[in-house]
Amino acid sequence: MDLEAVSKRSAFHAKPQGLILQYGTAGFRTNAQHLDHIMFRMGLLAVLRSKQTRSTIGVMVTASHNPEEDNGVKLVDPLGEMLAPSWEEHATRLASAEEQDLPKVLAAIVEREAVDPQQTAFIVVGRDTRPSSEKLSQSVIDGVTVLGGQFHDYGLLTTPQLHYMVYCRNSEGRYGQATIEGYCQKLSRAFVELMKQASCSGDGSRWVKVDCANGIGALKLKEMEHYFRQGLSVLLFNDGTEGRLNHLCGADFVKSQQKPPQGMAMKPGDRCCSFDGDADRIVYYYCDAAGRFHLIDGDKIATLISSFLKELLLEIGENLNIGVVQTAYANGSSTRYLEEVMKVPVYCTKTGVKHLHHKAQEFDIGVYFEANGHGTALFSEAVEARIKRLAQELEDEKGRAARMLASFIDLFNQAAGDAISDMLVIEAILALKGLSVQQWDAIYADLPNRQLKVKVADRRVISTTDAERQAVTPPGLQEAINDLVKKYKLARAFVRPSGTEDVVRVYAEATSQESADTLAYEVSLAVFQLAGGIGERPQPPF
Ligand SMILES: CC(=O)N[C@H]1[C@@H](OP(=O)(O)O)O[C@H](CO)[C@@H](O)[C@@H]1O
Ligand SMILES: [Mg+2]
């Protein structure tokens, strides 16, 4: 490895002095103007990780649901997973190193991780539709090549498509073909197969309205549509031809504002969904006859999916261990419904999909979703092999159920939460069960809830335990929250420092919107007072 060449090349990707960025929950993310050196350095790091794991590593250039002027980058590990935590630290160190220290920091990582410099490296790169993404992805490639790495640039991809490509390449084709064609065919074949089973229930002309957040999802759905048209028509809105990326639209906007995106023509009863800017999140919604908006978030998606998979297993007569993984943000009603009515065990992890993904791998079938709509289902290798065998061996109703489950296994993107794949899964389940969007929504009633943000001088003063549901520091904060929660029926509240924004997040839920709002406000005041609030005191959200 020619570290001198790295130094020379790095001069073309100079780091603004003093700029310190951290590899957070979703990689590096900030205004695109500050990211060129980060991209170059992540190209370098990807090469080291690839050499160490002797596998293909992915680099995705995107800032997901953040504004168009932002950008970001994250690395994808061999099985399509998020980068291992110890390497996140290397990423932060490498990104923060001043120019002259770069070779030293690289050499330290090589030594610490026992990277064999002679080993070959292969990197795949993808990017979203932001104006800054193309140039930034070239900087990644510059970093890859200066360290002698080979690469394939996929160009425009959704984030989950890149995760899929990495997984395929490292599974010697067992998971699928590492091409867009391979992705479209794998998912569409499974979907069309499932919809054939549903057509006997009389619904041959399904359609759904999709808000693409003016992002990559629109391009990729257009590219894929003809593969699955037999089973579903998609009516695209916010397809990027006019509006700005994520501006007043997209899954994050719809979930956090609890209202429809701009630019979508919604009639009462229409089944609608929104992707986020890199198409790894999805939420559904509809409007009733009185014009009231109803959101169907990640929790209800997880409930629909896990209940359906459980029913299929029952029909096949297989007793497999199925679990649902959520975070503290999951609506209390969803947890209660899953545990008490569906008798499905539920686990809570820290925020951030890597934690959920990791936990879900412990089950035969693990379904995970963040309330904001990021999630998927994972099937252990043994289960996948067994179901695919049963699909061929069994006959009658059992055989039909096994073949359906086998198709669902193919339809899920098991590398990462994927809005396109999840949408097809949901559409197939609704069609197979003959459920309308209103009937799906009626499975349980969400507890009213409120999320607020509080600015503090240093959010690291708040530390948490019990999957972020209890604050350990600063002293007195948890006691204050407990006292406030006690005032309301069936209420719950917690606070945690955000991993992607410089704020403390406050969450509260209760039996009425008024109580949830008041509780969230009171907890915000407690944070402001006990955790070093800055600027204006929190205002009531009503
Ligand atoms: C409450 C919330 O929605 N938090 C989001 C947000 O993380 P924070 O650490 O809360 O900023 O961004 C993450 C990355 O996209 C996502 O995984 C997570 O669910
Ligand atoms: Mg996203």
Side-chain angles (χ1 to χ4, degrees), residues 23 45 49 75-77 81-88 91 354:
Y23 196 97
L45 191 72
R49 182 66 174 155
L75 267 58
V76 179
D77 252 2
E81 300 161 278
M82 302 289 180
L83 184 64
S86 56
W87 281 74
E88 290 187 0
K354 66 181 170 210

Side-chain angles (χ1 to χ4, degrees), residues 141-301:
I141 291 169
D142 213 10
V144 170
T145 49
V146 77
L147 266 187
Q150 306 267 303
F151 70 94
H152 177 77
D153 182 7
Y154 280 101
L156 294 164
L157 279 190
T158 71
T159 297
Q161 284 175 335
L162 183 78
H163 285 258
Y164 165 91
M165 300 304 173
V166 173
Y167 193 14
C168 289
R169 282 177 182 265
N170 291 318
S171 69
E172 283 145 22
R174 265 177 295 124
Y175 189 65
Q177 277 193 353
T179 57
I180 267 292
E181 175 88 11
Y183 172 91
C184 293
Q185 276 184 354
K186 181 176 177 186
L187 269 59
S188 303
R189 208 174 280 150
F191 178 69
V192 170
E193 203 48 51
L194 286 164
M195 294 307 276
K196 277 191 207 148
Q197 302 286 326
S199 59
C200 51
S201 65
D203 194 356
S205 54
R206 282 191 86 77
W207 53 266
V208 61
K209 292 185 170 177
V210 189
D211 153 32
C212 298
N214 292 315
I216 182 76
L219 294 184
K220 294 298 155 181
L221 266 181
K222 281 181 195 162
E223 198 168 65
M224 189 166 170
E225 198 183 10
H226 70 274
Y227 289 89
F228 61 70
R229 195 174 289 150
Q230 272 171 277
L232 178 72
S233 304
V234 282
L235 310 177
L236 305 189
F237 296 85
N238 298 323
D239 67 353
T241 44
E242 283 171 30
R244 277 171 76 77
L245 179 67
N246 297 324
H247 183 61
L248 304 177
C249 61
D252 194 64
F253 172 85
V254 172
K255 166 76 182 162
S256 58
Q257 303 295 312
Q258 313 231 353
K259 59 182 184 197
Q262 274 194 6
M264 178 181 259
M266 233 175 122
K267 289 207 286 295
D270 285 354
R271 201 170 58 256
C272 305
C273 64
S274 283
F275 292 5
D276 74 336
D278 62 341
D280 62 357
R281 289 193 199 173
I282 183 169
V283 292
Y284 267 73
Y285 43 90
Y286 67 98
C287 195
D288 62 24
R292 256 191 61 206
F293 175 77
H294 297 259
L295 174 71
I296 304 182
D297 65 5
D299 302 334
K300 259 188 193 150
I301 296 175

Side-chain angles (χ1 to χ4, degrees), residues 428-441:
I429 296 178
L430 294 178
L432 285 163
K433 289 185 69 85
L435 278 182
S436 69
V437 69
Q438 292 90 340
Q439 288 167 320
W440 172 21
D441 186 33

Side-chain angles (χ1 to χ4, degrees), residues 318-338:
E318 284 290 288
N319 186 15
L320 297 177
N321 149 22
I322 174 165
V324 174
V325 186
Q326 305 184 316
T327 70
Y329 292 100
N331 195 279
S333 291
S334 72
T335 315
R336 206 165 307 119
Y337 179 84
L338 282 164

